[in-house]
Amino acid sequence: MKAQASVEEQTATKTGADLLVEALIEQDVETLFGYPGGAVLPIYDAIYRAEGSFDHVLPRHEQGAIHAAEGYARVSGRAGVVIGTSGPGATNLVTGIADAMMDSIPLVIFTGQVAKGVIGTDAFQESDIMGITTPITKHNYQVQEIEELPRVVKEAFHIATTGRPGPVVVDIPKDISSTVYAKDVNNQFHLPGYQPTMKPNPLQISKLHDALVEAKKPVVLAGSGVIHAGASEELRTFIRNYKLPVTTTLLGLGSYPGSDELSLGMAGMHGTYSANMALYECDLLINIGSRFDDRLTGNLKHFAPNAKVAHVDIDPAEIGKNIPTQIPIVSDAKAALESLNGKPVKGLHHKGWMETISQNKVDYPLWHDQPDADIVPQWLLQKVYEYTKGEAIVTTDVGQHQMWAAQYYHFDKPNRWVTSGGLGTMGYGFPAAIGAQLADMDATCVAVVGDGGFQMTLQELSVLQERRLPVKILIVNNQALGMVRQWQEKFYSERYSQSIIDTQPDFVKLAESYQVPGYKIETQDQLLDVLPGVLQDDQPAVIDCRVLQKENVYPMIAPGKGLHEMIGVKR
């Protein structure tokens, strides 16, 4: 009886973990992605006692948790929340943290830590997660006093979701989460050193407007900053008011309707001819929310060589970092576009430019061969687009299938394209689809993955089995590490070192072992018979689609070349 009373007494008191749970509730957190372990057991006990407050998703690996949180954040626009234990639990999150930092994804990651008194002694399951994550987070904290926990949580969400979004780590020693608190706590904060500039300088907006009126060859480059700012409608108004050609980065897909006549498609290494030539030949380049990464620009010496460059970005560190900028505008993309849309439209001089661009789209479209029976991946992605009417959420891993999806699935809406851009993370696509589906349960969610990347996180099939989430996993199976194989073909004299994967699991049997329907498709007729029904079904599915192994992604800009030096432009 005495032991029973002790348990009841313990549950009647509040601990640091209870403070954390209360802080998460105050932040309107609905979904948690996490994996329990020794250093976070007090937190999981508090979650248990707060039954019904959260939907906790248990992945089968911490990497699955953080990629799922990334997918959730991209689709919902809210911060993804992750919990991992100390040591290996925390270090298993590192790749996803770096991925979110590169792609500006808002995450708040809570890691358990050994007790304060043994930090630095190489205690069991201790790792210096602060030192490890300092270069790959927007900010990180290690909580030292229980009273500061509510404030730290509130700051973490504020920092993760404002300005340029990004991941924030909160490291919580076990004695902080397990200690009973008696003092008053205060969650108010003031961060004088963190005040993002949200509104544009009116003078710079006027300079951009004047340049636009004078330009004869203007082009707009839209990046993911447009999507993060919720500025797609404002971008659409701006483009249509001025009748401007618009291209996007890989992560900017969906910021402007891909099927619109003014859209040039994606630019960069595997971008369209019309998009890349517009960037190369323009006299005014208006970059809204893109960081001018190397996969977009190619050889910097040949990037927009004759253009006046205007760059709108929430992060002042990005402006002028890679490309000299004549009109810098530090601002939230939505605020900048609203200011531009408030200016009068007058005296435009780019009619001939638009005719040239339109002709380029006609003369140099994306192309692929079409065998009689075998499946080529470009045709496969076209069919996915056709059967989903362009309304699906599409997630991908990294590689050839990612580029084909970007090229052939025409995203007309924001927050429907979920992929790993800057870090290029294999194994990302499937768990990201889980998070994306949880963010929008009414959407059709298709995880387009390679046979290599899928095998890095396929254990998350347990989550589909457990939740019956209707995610469709489309394996673009060429029995190879496709992009590696393509580069070895083009630049390493066809020396296919460790890029051909002849030995694979039976993906259908694998899916069925998780009680998920599986399909193996080897011909066009089989695809046409199976795919429409599967995509319309409300059940999860694994579709092992065998495609031609030596199919390459074109167009392509070789390393060291400029945007105008594409190969594979014509059949």
Side-chain angles (χ1 to χ4, degrees), residues 101-238:
M101 186 66 177
M102 290 283 278
D103 289 353
S104 304
I105 305 302
L107 299 181
V108 180
I109 303 105
F110 297 96
T111 55
Q113 185 54 274
V114 299
K116 288 193 299 179
V118 295
I119 290 176
T121 68
D122 294 330
F124 177 66
Q125 289 194 333
E126 179 187 359
S127 64
D128 180 11
I129 201 63
M130 297 294 286
I132 292 169
T133 63
T134 293
I136 56 170
T137 53
K138 191 174 179 185
H139 195 59
N140 61 13
Y141 298 85
Q142 187 174 79
V143 180
Q144 297 297 318
E145 301 294 338
I146 192 170
E147 292 82 9
E148 69 184 28
L149 187 55
R151 173 186 59 79
V152 166
V153 172
K154 195 169 185 179
E155 283 184 14
F157 277 88
H158 176 72
I159 292 171
T161 57
T162 57
R164 179 178 180 174
V168 177
V169 165
V170 180
D171 195 42
I172 306 176
K174 187 173 182 179
D175 53 335
I176 294 290
S177 58
S178 61
T179 297
V180 175
Y181 70 92
K183 299 179 182 178
D184 291 334
V185 294
N186 189 341
N187 66 1
Q188 300 305 307
F189 68 88
H190 177 54
L191 299 172
Y194 177 69
Q195 301 292 332
T197 300
M198 303 299 291
K199 300 292 184 182
N201 183 311
L203 179 61
Q204 297 301 92
I205 292 292
S206 294
K207 286 182 180 179
L208 175 51
H209 179 255
D210 292 343
L212 186 55
V213 171
E214 295 171 3
K216 295 179 180 172
K217 296 181 178 180
V219 65
V220 173
L221 172 67
S224 63
V226 175
I227 296 173
H228 291 311
S232 292
E233 283 300 320
E234 288 76 11
L235 177 64
R236 188 178 306 191
T237 298
F238 176 60

Side-chain angles (χ1 to χ4, degrees), residues 14 20 43 45 50 69 75 131 146 211 219 221 226 296 298 452 474 545:
K14 287 189 175 183
L20 172 61
I43 296 172
D45 192 57
V75 172
I146 192 170
V219 65
L221 172 67
V226 175
L296 168 75
L474 180 64
C545 193

Side-chain angles (χ1 to χ4, degrees), residues 23 65 73-74 122 144 151 163-164 206 215 219 231 244 262 323 334 344 349 383-386 426 485 506 520 543:
R74 283 185 188 269
D122 294 330
Q144 297 297 318
R151 173 186 59 79
R164 179 178 180 174
S206 294
V219 65
L244 296 170
L262 293 173
I323 300 295
K334 187 168 188 172
H349 307 290
K383 288 300 175 185
V384 174
Y385 175 76
E386 177 184 326
M426 291 181 69
R485 187 211 59 75
D506 184 324
K520 183 177 181 179
I543 308 148

Side-chain angles (χ1 to χ4, degrees), residues 352-368:
W353 170 241
M354 295 305 299
E355 292 172 352
T356 298
I357 285 177
S358 298
Q359 195 60 47
N360 281 343
K361 291 174 69 174
V362 172
D363 293 342
Y364 303 101
L366 295 171
W367 64 271
H368 60 85

